[in-house]
Amino acid sequence: MADRDQDKAEPVALASRRRLLQHAATLGLTLWLSSRAAAQQPDPPLFGAGRSQFILERPRRPLPPLRLQDLTGHDVQLAPKPGRVTLVNLWATWCAACKTDLPTLAALDKSQLSGLDIWSICADRRDIKTIRRYAQEVAMPRASFADPHAQATHPTNPDASVFALPAMPITYLIGTGGLVEGYITGAPDWLSPAGQALLRYYLSRPAA
């Protein structure tokens, strides 16, 4: 009698082991597919404007304090605030795309996205009166500056410039740790889902 019971129990035990193995295999496949999908996600999210894409800077470098001039003509010392993301936009009075880019940044500024600062810096004119007249015709972020001391961009010595100008306009993204993370040229739509995703990606990263 005991032998018959044992004979019946063995197939049941084998079936249970097979089910356990099937569950383990299914779980392993699910985890592998999840990790593969995560690996295929762009890091950071893709963001572009026409033929321009957000370009990572490697190695990352700290942004030094900048001595600029605000639109009232007063010198100011600017440095990224720890734990916040800063967009540094460089534009020129002759730049047609800047007339689209600056109002977009002004609208982003008005959206008051938590943890975000925006600076716009004129790269071709050092006199504040010309820039102030320009600002009366084109919407600009609240924190807009001239560069009379040639600290952000040097007119004759690119090696002395804090920011390279491969195209105009150009916006650099400074992460929560004060490091230059990357840049994008042209007039991207920062208010688009892709633009917001990129900003929130860097806003969510630790300052360290």
Side-chain angles (χ1 to χ4, degrees):
M1 185 71 173
D3 289 342
R4 285 198 298 272
D5 291 340
Q6 184 177 358
D7 290 342
K8 292 178 180 178
E10 286 180 355
V12 173
L14 287 172
S16 297
R17 283 198 292 270
R18 279 197 294 268
R19 284 196 295 271
L20 287 173
L21 289 172
Q22 288 172 349
H23 286 316
T26 301
L27 178 60
L29 179 61
T30 301
L31 291 173
W32 179 78
L33 289 173
S34 297
S35 63
R36 184 178 180 186
Q40 291 175 343
Q41 291 295 320
D43 186 20
L46 296 176
F47 178 48
R51 291 178 293 179
S52 299
Q53 296 290 326
F54 182 75
I55 304 297
L56 296 176
E57 278 216 355
R58 295 294 183 270
R60 296 180 300 170
R61 56 188 172 87
L63 179 67
L66 296 174
R67 186 184 173 203
L68 302 171
Q69 193 175 84
D70 65 22
L71 295 189
T72 66
H74 292 93
D75 278 5
V76 293
Q77 189 89 353
L78 290 183
K81 297 176 183 176
R84 297 179 66 86
V85 167
T86 305
L87 294 181
V88 182
N89 175 259
L90 296 129
W91 60 277
T93 56
W94 51 261
C95 167
C98 296
K99 293 182 179 180
T100 300
D101 194 35
L102 286 167
T104 299
L105 289 167
L108 176 63
D109 193 22
K110 286 183 179 179
S111 74
Q112 297 183 338
L113 182 61
S114 179
L116 177 67
D117 295 318
I118 304 173
W119 307 343
S120 68
I121 304 173
C122 184
D124 71 322
R125 294 299 181 96
R126 310 288 165 176
D127 60 296
I128 200 67
K129 290 182 179 180
T130 301
I131 300 170
R132 193 184 296 128
R133 284 197 299 269
Y134 188 94
Q136 292 173 351
E137 300 176 2
V138 178
M140 298 172 64
R142 290 167 295 175
S144 294
F145 306 95
D147 187 23
H149 311 294
Q151 288 202 338
T153 61
H154 198 285
T156 58
N157 183 7
D159 293 334
S161 298
V162 170
F163 298 106
L165 300 176
M168 189 66 71
I170 184 168
T171 301
Y172 285 85
L173 189 149
I174 318 303
T176 54
L179 302 177
V180 180
E181 297 286 351
Y183 64 87
I184 185 168
T185 60
D189 185 1
W190 292 99
L191 296 169
S192 68
Q196 293 289 293
L198 182 71
L199 292 172
R200 294 187 186 282
Y201 169 86
Y202 281 107
L203 285 166
S204 67
R205 294 176 71 82

